[in-house]
Amino acid sequence: MVNLRTATLSAGLCLLAACKPQASNEAKAPPGTQSQEVRAQEVPTSYVSEHAFEKGSSFYNSLRALEIDSATILKIVESAKKVFPLQEIGAGTRYSISWSNEAKTDPISIELRIAADSSLLIERNNDSDLEWTATKNVLPVSIQRKTFIGVVDSSLWESADLVGMDPNLITSLTEVFAWQVDFTRQVRRGDRWRLTVEQKIVNDQVIGWGNILAAEYDNGSQSFTGVRFPQIGPNASYYASNGNSLKQLFIKSPLKFGRVTSGFSKGRFHPVLKIMRPHNGVDYGAPVGTPIMTIGAGTIVEVGPHGGSGNMIKIQHNGTYATAYLHMSRFAPGLRKGSKVEQGQVIGYVGTTGLSTGPHLHFAFYENGVYVDPLGRKFPSADPIAKNALPGFLKEASNVLRTLPDWNVAQHVESNGERTN
Ligand SMILES: [Zn+2]
């Protein structure tokens, strides 16, 4: 099979011995605590031991197992209290202990990797009281750009897997183009995609992903481009290369992944009622529990069991449009009649309540109170980039679009099934 551009990711955390020099150099005593000159001296690496908390074992028990005396452990716990509650340490959390002697009987500092980008350093003060001081260090995160390119053979997920890409990034890609492509029914063999994404690095170790900066999805007949650009406020959005927003009144599908099992029809043989009757909506087959999103912002006008419709939510989007979501197994918590919902918000989960032959979502779309077929309809776009920001956007867009990998790489894979250098 194809093994194109396999990412060399070792997503693990850095070993604490490797983190240690940076963390201690960065350590600054907060005001009012012991200053640096009374901190523990650098210790030879042979006096450092590496550990990880085991499932079901407390901080206290773990340190007792290393024969550290109770009084010392309690002092350590006490000193950490104000900075980080040690009872929140999860199984697998790595920590290193520096000892004053090779026999490892006298601990002088302990450093815990409490998050991918932060550590907790607890050091014994060099004073006669043998008190301890805890400091939280935020490790500097650097960003590098990483690119991926893929061609769909059987599914989007598989196309990501083939190129060694984190499947979560495929979900992010579907979010960028949620208004342009219905990923539940429009993904075809031969569709291709490419993207440039931020990768977060701490101490030369990959700790996760940042934002997709630019992406393209090409289904043979149409190609969609998205460029991330910050507008007013903290939220960035994705725009086409000309500055038009990718956002529209409605996203293309209420499910991220699933498939259309029955379309809108004026007359169809009803599988449960065994009679011909119109199918006033679109059925999406998906496992029980699959999250259902509202395709647009609006107000809930109905929520609850509704006869043959089972558990149903109906949302009024504006004076013209409304949507309904039927047969849910359960609703998202806190929703009631009159609740406001945001576009893409999860409102419930796929089920098979009411008149239903199996787990699916029946999705109904109303225009002026009348059922219409939502598939293939065009809806208005959100605001484009503001005029005064457009020159800046166009410049940035052309820069970031240039970072996308060349399509030819993917085409080569498509035609030959393997890559030659
Ligand atoms: Zn249906």
Side-chain angles (χ1 to χ4, degrees):
M1 285 305 274
V2 182
N3 187 10
L4 163 67
R5 194 171 297 197
T6 305
T8 49
L9 301 185
S10 56
L13 298 171
C14 82
L15 285 165
L16 284 157
C19 301
K20 177 84 183 159
Q22 187 150 15
S24 359
N25 292 345
E26 299 263 315
K28 291 272 187 292
T33 63
Q34 299 295 326
S35 63
Q36 292 230 299
E37 63 264 31
V38 297
R39 302 213 142 218
Q41 302 297 307
E42 282 298 318
V43 279
T45 36
S46 60
Y47 296 1
V48 176
S49 58
E50 302 283 345
H51 315 272
F53 291 107
E54 281 171 26
K55 207 173 168 215
S57 181
S58 66
F59 180 85
Y60 179 89
N61 289 340
S62 301
L63 267 57
R64 276 298 292 143
L66 298 169
E67 295 182 6
I68 298 175
D69 65 87
S70 311
T72 301
I73 300 172
L74 292 175
K75 279 186 176 178
I76 292 172
V77 171
E78 192 58 33
S79 72
K81 246 180 199 167
K82 283 168 278 173
V83 185
F84 185 87
L86 288 172
Q87 63 269 24
E88 283 179 17
I89 297 281
T93 300
R94 298 188 195 183
Y95 63 104
S96 66
I97 300 179
S98 301
W99 311 83
S100 69
N101 55 3
E102 197 154 18
K104 300 189 172 79
T105 55
D106 179 36
I108 51 177
S109 78
I110 170 167
E111 186 178 11
L112 302 93
R113 190 71 177 268
I114 51 177
D117 63 352
S118 58
S119 69
L120 179 69
L121 180 67
I122 313 169
E123 290 177 296
R124 193 174 76 196
N125 304 336
N126 277 349
D127 56 20
S128 51
D129 298 334
L130 298 180
E131 292 300 326
W132 292 68
T133 304
T135 323
K136 190 175 163 186
N137 298 308
V138 174
L139 306 171
V141 178
S142 62
I143 298 283
Q144 70 177 25
R145 288 177 178 186
K146 184 105 185 150
T147 62
F148 293 99
I149 183 166
V151 179
V152 174
D153 184 20
S154 64
S155 74
L156 262 184
W157 284 77
E158 192 215 46
S159 68
D161 197 40
L162 277 177
V163 295
M165 189 175 90
D166 182 346
N168 289 319
L169 288 179
I170 269 293
T171 307
S172 304
L173 180 78
T174 65
E175 284 164 359
V176 172
F177 297 116
W179 296 271
Q180 282 67 42
V181 182
D182 180 350
F183 289 99
T184 61
R185 63 183 196 99
Q186 288 177 327
V187 176
R188 301 272 185 280
R189 186 161 195 264
D191 283 7
R192 53 188 192 165
W193 52 265
R194 53 184 183 169
L195 58 88
T196 298
V197 62
E198 294 172 329
Q199 191 171 44
K200 296 180 183 172
I201 315 279
V202 170
N203 289 341
D204 298 328
Q205 299 283 325
V206 173
I207 63 157
W209 301 101
N211 301 300
I212 290 181
L213 298 174
E216 195 167 348
Y217 193 89
D218 178 3
N219 64 14
S221 53
Q222 267 182 303
S223 173
F224 303 99
T225 303
V227 175
R228 187 173 189 275
F229 192 66
Q231 286 282 60
I232 302 144
N235 295 325
S237 295
Y238 289 89
Y239 296 87
S241 52
N242 63 2
N244 283 344
S245 178
L246 295 189
K247 276 187 189 162
Q248 293 179 2
L249 191 56
F250 300 119
I251 51 177
K252 286 281 185 186
S253 166
L255 301 182
K256 280 225 171 80
F257 299 99
R259 65 199 167 87
V260 173
T261 49
S262 181
F264 188 91
S265 138
K266 298 253 185 271
R268 137 188 118 143
F269 188 73
H270 193 280
V272 177
L273 300 176
K274 311 284 185 206
I275 51 166
M276 289 295 282
R277 68 175 224 180
H279 186 230
N280 290 321
V282 178
D283 287 342
Y284 292 89
V288 169
T290 304
I292 299 168
M293 303 173 292
T294 167
I295 64 162
T299 305
I300 292 185
V301 290
E302 275 186 68
V303 52
H306 200 270
S309 302
N311 291 328
M312 182 186 97
I313 284 184
K314 188 174 177 186
I315 294 167
Q316 193 71 44
H317 299 290
N318 56 25
T320 310
Y321 299 113
T323 52
Y325 309 79
L326 280 62
H327 309 304
M328 292 187 192
S329 55
R330 61 193 170 92
F331 303 114
L335 297 182
R336 48 186 56 86
K337 199 172 167 173
S339 297
K340 299 265 184 258
V341 289
E342 296 294 327
Q343 184 176 58
Q345 184 177 333
V346 172
I347 52 172
Y349 301 88
V350 169
T352 183
T353 54
L355 274 181
S356 168
T357 51
H360 78 288
L361 167 69
H362 175 103
F363 170 63
F365 193 92
Y366 306 81
E367 189 174 47
N368 296 316
V370 179
Y371 290 115
V372 292
D373 186 358
L375 302 182
R377 287 177 72 96
K378 283 217 177 298
F379 297 104
S381 292
D383 292 338
I385 298 266
K387 266 225 168 77
N388 59 355
L390 193 59
F393 168 79
L394 293 175
K395 193 162 168 252
E396 191 172 314
S398 87
N399 284 339
V400 71
L401 286 172
R402 260 200 296 273
T403 66
L404 288 172
D406 198 303
W407 280 131
N408 292 329
V409 179
Q411 281 169 337
H412 187 76
V413 169
E414 197 177 10
S415 53
N416 292 346
E418 62 181 21
R419 186 183 183 195
T420 50
N421 288 311

